[in-house]
Amino acid sequence: MKSEIWAIGGGKGGTGKSFVTSSIGMNLAQQGKRVTLIDADLGGANLHTFLRMKKPKHSLTDFFESKTPLSDIIKNTDVPNLRFITGDVRSLDTTGVKYAQKLKLYRHIRNISSDYVLIDLGAGSNHDTIDSFLVADRMIAVILPEETSLDNLYLFIKKVLFRKVNRLLGDYGLRDIARKAWEERNRKEIRNIKELILYVKNISPEIRTLVEKSLADFTLYIIVNQVKNEQHIETGFATKSILQQYFELDAKYLGYIRYNEFFWKFVKDTNSFKQFSPSVSTALEIGSIVQNLMENKQLNLSQVHNGI
Amino acid sequence: MEFNTDTLKKYLDILDLDPDSHPTPDEIYRAYHKLETFYTSDSIVLDPLDDELDDNERILILQKLEDAFHFLNDHFKAESQEEELLGSPENVNIEIEDTLVEYVPETDWEERVSLEDHIPISIEQTNEIEPEKEIEPVITLSNEEESENHVEYITPPATIETPIEIKSIPEPPKENGTHSLENLPVNGLVFQMVREKKGLSINDLASQTGIAERDLIALEMEQFEKFQEAGDLRYFIVSLAKALSMDHLRAAEEYMKRYRQWKREHEY
């Protein structure tokens, strides 16, 4: 049976993607699911730190360059059911990886004997990162309730849209149309990605249908991290609304994680990040997010008002 | 308990309500109001989009939210009215005025202008227009008759069997004999007139917009009962208006108003 792939990304900024990835992974593993975490973070693959592991010898770079099989690169962790692949600085966020190689990697990833594969894309937003994002079954963005974080998210989304549309056109031998249109955007009065997509849709009814279908398939799952008040919680709903109404993408608000100043103290002192005590509020919040992911549900207003 | 249809779930989702729930009018209104406030204020979520999410876009979005509100309110109000009849505890019925939510962009007080001044009106004029021709306040379309002052380009589509009486449209203001189709409040008949002035058939428009011919006809005839979802209707109107080089925002606003009025009159 093929594994389900969840990608965690969303663009620049230390929003806590690695933390969220490892937390979700651990939660699933503790439920008895087989989980493989993949660290594809350019900013310094550091997922292993969260797992209290030494940096592994083999990485995805070896997969690409030495054709080392994934099974040799996957490492067990101290947590049962939880395994781990490190990306290395060079592996997924360089433009050097050929498309065919990426496809090969995705095929292999799909066939890892895991129930869930979680890919931490970190801060990356180039083609490789975005393609990895697009290949996932669930695309998860972690944001902070700060303007820069939203700014980065929108930038990321625009790149994703652009990439998606370009790839689609490429499949029909029209690869350069979107790119050229964007380059000539002043002349064509295309002001932003939305208008570019409209332009592409108007090329022909067939293209329009394809683009609409492609975008209808796309759902972005939102997690707001380091929430300190109710307004921060609202950021998730607001972001979801903008994505739906302005970017015209399907979006779901998975949940939020409260800022917990005791959390890091807890981790450092007890060195027991791996042992999540269910009474820790963060663990509960993660659990709720995971449940929403598995049941394809999301946060709604009444849950927030009544207190989860 | 009835389960919610996909359409209902979609509208519930837009307002961040539980898709399996049957919200009270109060809950619906509060959910709508929260989003309305969001889109008419500044926030960290909106500020990064300042240069591209302009006033027109906000208005469009607010319209969609308003439609969602109306749809859900109408739907669940009907349910709660039923409950009242059956002796349930009192419900609070909250209605919002059926007006466009006023969004005034931030400007200096001196420069503050009404949004209406911003909205451009741009219906093409062609040479075929004779300025002296007026539009009759009441026009009956039928296959047989043609009234004296009947504007010659109005012809009923071939597939319409029964004569339809179009309710009155206000007389356009007369300005130095210039043709004033653009000043008419938009309704189905106006769409038809604009279309015919451009020399387009229903078939042409169908090809251009991707909207089915029968739907285009229903739009022009204001056969509202043929449209299940307000959202779809608005989408058609906007597409149609754009294809006819009309101001799509105004068209949507005015046409949907008529739709809602019809809905209210046809509720049980």
Side-chain angles (χ1 to χ4, degrees):
Chain A
M1 196 170 89
K2 297 215 163 157
S3 51
E4 202 176 309
I5 303 178
W6 294 352
I8 292 96
K12 291 195 305 191
T15 61
K17 299 186 243 318
S18 296
F19 162 69
V20 168
T21 307
S22 52
S23 302
I24 291 180
M26 275 205 230
N27 181 290
L28 288 167
Q30 282 169 344
Q31 290 184 43
K33 311 286 182 195
R34 295 170 307 160
V35 183
T36 303
L37 302 181
I38 301 183
D39 186 355
D41 189 344
L42 167 73
N46 57 8
L47 201 55
H48 57 279
T49 315
F50 285 86
L51 302 170
R52 290 287 190 271
M53 291 170 65
K54 285 203 266 267
K55 193 152 167 56
K57 230 187 327 182
H58 292 299
S59 74
L60 284 179
T61 309
D62 299 300
F63 176 86
F64 290 123
E65 292 184 0
S66 321
K67 307 228 194 291
T68 313
L70 271 189
S71 46
D72 290 350
I73 305 175
I74 301 181
K75 290 279 164 269
N76 288 320
T77 69
D78 288 350
V79 180
N81 301 320
L82 188 65
R83 300 182 305 165
F84 166 69
I85 300 176
T86 190
D88 198 287
V89 172
R90 285 174 297 156
S91 52
L92 271 194
D93 205 28
T94 71
T95 51
V97 178
K98 290 202 188 56
Y99 189 57
Q101 285 185 300
K102 269 189 293 189
L103 284 183
K104 182 181 168 207
L105 174 64
Y106 301 148
R107 252 192 346 262
H108 284 249
I109 288 177
R110 277 251 181 249
N111 291 322
I112 295 175
S113 60
S114 272
D115 298 312
Y116 295 98
V117 176
L118 309 190
I119 310 179
D120 175 6
L121 294 169
S125 64
N126 78 355
H127 289 177
D128 295 332
T129 303
I130 289 175
D131 287 342
S132 307
F133 204 60
L134 289 171
V135 90
D137 297 307
R138 295 255 204 270
M139 288 161 281
I140 302 167
V142 180
I143 58 172
L144 299 177
E146 289 167 12
E147 187 165 333
T148 47
S149 185
L150 267 310
D151 205 4
N152 291 330
L153 177 70
Y154 297 145
L155 220 69
F156 185 76
I157 290 295
K158 289 172 190 177
K159 290 184 182 177
V160 168
L161 284 175
F162 192 62
R163 182 86 178 139
K164 207 171 206 297
V165 167
N166 266 331
R167 289 273 305 283
L168 183 74
L169 292 175
D171 288 345
Y172 290 86
L174 299 166
R175 191 203 314 274
D176 284 333
I177 286 192
R179 192 177 51 79
K180 283 215 182 94
W182 185 249
E183 283 168 10
E184 292 174 29
R185 58 189 179 275
N186 287 327
R187 199 168 61 78
K188 291 197 190 309
E189 295 185 350
I190 293 173
R191 289 179 299 164
N192 50 49
I193 188 73
K194 267 195 70 157
E195 292 184 0
L196 179 69
I197 290 179
L198 217 65
Y199 171 84
V200 169
K201 284 209 268 189
N202 283 333
I203 292 172
S204 78
E206 292 84 20
I207 296 282
R208 170 188 291 263
T209 313
L210 288 166
V211 170
E212 283 173 355
K213 193 160 170 300
S214 170
L215 295 179
D217 277 339
F218 181 99
T219 304
L220 189 75
Y221 293 82
I222 303 163
I223 298 175
V224 184
N225 192 18
Q226 294 186 20
V227 157
K228 290 180 183 169
N229 56 46
E230 188 164 321
Q231 214 180 356
H232 288 171
I233 298 178
E234 298 289 326
T235 305
F237 290 118
T239 307
K240 170 195 153 195
S241 184
I242 278 286
L243 288 170
Q244 284 180 329
Q245 301 302 333
Y246 177 63
F247 288 96
E248 291 172 347
L249 295 173
D250 187 25
K252 284 186 162 49
Y253 183 17
L254 286 174
Y256 56 87
I257 302 167
R258 258 180 282 244
Y259 174 73
N260 187 341
E261 60 179 307
F262 297 115
F263 179 74
W264 289 111
K265 192 170 181 303
F266 173 76
V267 167
K268 282 186 187 142
D269 288 350
T270 64
N271 198 28
S272 55
F273 179 88
K274 300 174 223 170
Q275 322 297 329
F276 257 138
S277 158
S279 60
V280 175
S281 67
T282 309
L284 286 173
E285 286 157 353
I286 296 283
S288 169
I289 286 170
V290 170
Q291 196 174 356
N292 281 341
L293 273 166
M294 288 169 70
E295 296 172 8
N296 204 17
K297 288 201 165 142
Q298 60 176 326
L299 208 57
N300 61 61
L301 283 178
S302 57
Q303 286 173 313
V304 172
H305 289 147
N306 301 335
I308 307 172
Chain B
M1 180 171 94
E2 260 179 52
F3 288 111
N4 289 335
T5 63
D6 282 344
T7 313
L8 267 179
K9 289 192 190 209
K10 185 180 79 177
Y11 283 118
L12 286 166
D13 182 37
I14 291 177
L15 296 186
D16 295 321
L17 294 165
D18 183 350
D20 298 319
S21 70
H22 289 222
T24 65
D26 192 44
E27 285 170 337
I28 298 172
Y29 177 71
R30 275 200 263 128
Y32 162 78
H33 183 70
K34 196 145 76 74
L35 278 170
E36 184 216 323
T37 309
F38 164 63
Y39 280 104
T40 52
S41 329
D42 292 324
S43 70
I44 58 171
V45 181
L46 285 175
D47 287 351
L49 296 169
D50 236 0
D51 54 343
E52 54 186 292
L53 189 66
D54 57 14
D55 300 339
N56 285 344
E57 284 278 2
R58 286 202 202 206
I59 291 171
L60 261 177
I61 295 173
L62 285 165
Q63 285 275 31
K64 279 192 243 178
L65 294 174
E66 203 186 312
D67 285 345
F69 167 80
H70 281 294
F71 186 94
L72 291 173
N73 198 38
D74 291 347
H75 180 93
F76 288 109
K77 190 167 68 150
E79 274 190 18
S80 67
Q81 271 174 356
E82 249 181 58
E83 277 176 25
E84 269 187 41
L85 286 174
L86 299 171
S88 283
E90 278 179 4
N91 285 323
V92 179
N93 270 332
I94 296 179
E95 295 212 17
I96 64 170
E97 280 181 7
D98 185 28
T99 55
L100 175 63
V101 174
E102 208 184 321
Y103 172 63
V104 182
E106 278 196 32
T107 56
D108 291 332
W109 274 102
E110 292 87 39
E111 296 170 24
R112 215 170 204 207
V113 294
S114 141
L115 266 181
E116 302 219 278
D117 298 331
H118 277 309
I119 298 175
I121 295 172
S122 56
I123 299 176
E124 274 180 37
Q125 299 201 8
T126 67
N127 293 334
E128 297 133 56
I129 299 160
E130 293 163 64
E132 298 82 65
K133 271 214 161 73
E134 285 175 16
I135 290 122
E136 283 290 284
V138 177
I139 297 178
T140 308
L141 289 179
S142 74
N143 286 327
E144 294 121 58
E145 316 174 57
E146 280 190 18
S147 64
E148 296 274 13
N149 303 320
H150 173 82
V151 184
E152 65 179 47
Y153 46 72
I154 296 182
T155 50
T159 48
I160 298 294
E161 287 142 43
T162 54
I164 307 277
E165 195 164 325
I166 305 294
K167 295 193 186 67
S168 68
I169 56 177
E171 274 190 23
K174 294 161 205 158
E175 295 172 22
N176 308 323
T178 50
H179 192 86
S180 40
L181 183 61
E182 61 212 346
N183 290 324
L184 292 176
V186 173
N187 59 32
L189 183 60
V190 169
F191 276 130
Q192 181 175 2
M193 294 195 291
V194 174
R195 170 176 66 78
E196 304 211 29
K197 190 192 307 179
K198 290 179 171 305
L200 294 170
S201 67
I202 292 280
N203 190 277
D204 295 330
L205 263 188
S207 312
Q208 213 179 320
T209 60
I211 303 173
E213 289 183 58
R214 62 171 186 283
D215 290 329
L216 287 171
I217 292 168
L219 285 175
E220 288 187 357
M221 297 293 180
E222 294 197 350
Q223 292 171 337
F224 294 126
E225 65 277 5
K226 294 214 191 308
F227 298 99
Q228 294 293 336
E229 295 161 28
D232 285 350
L233 182 56
R234 145 152 306 103
Y235 174 78
F236 286 154
I237 294 301
V238 170
S239 304
L240 182 56
K242 284 183 178 173
L244 294 171
S245 304
M246 293 165 71
D247 174 15
H248 61 276
L249 293 170
R250 189 168 77 102
E253 180 197 348
E254 290 170 355
Y255 194 93
M256 293 309 288
K257 211 172 198 167
R258 297 176 66 82
Y259 168 74
R260 283 194 290 270
Q261 175 142 11
W262 174 86
K263 274 215 86 178
R264 268 194 297 272
E265 287 164 4
H266 287 76
E267 269 178 349
Y268 54 90

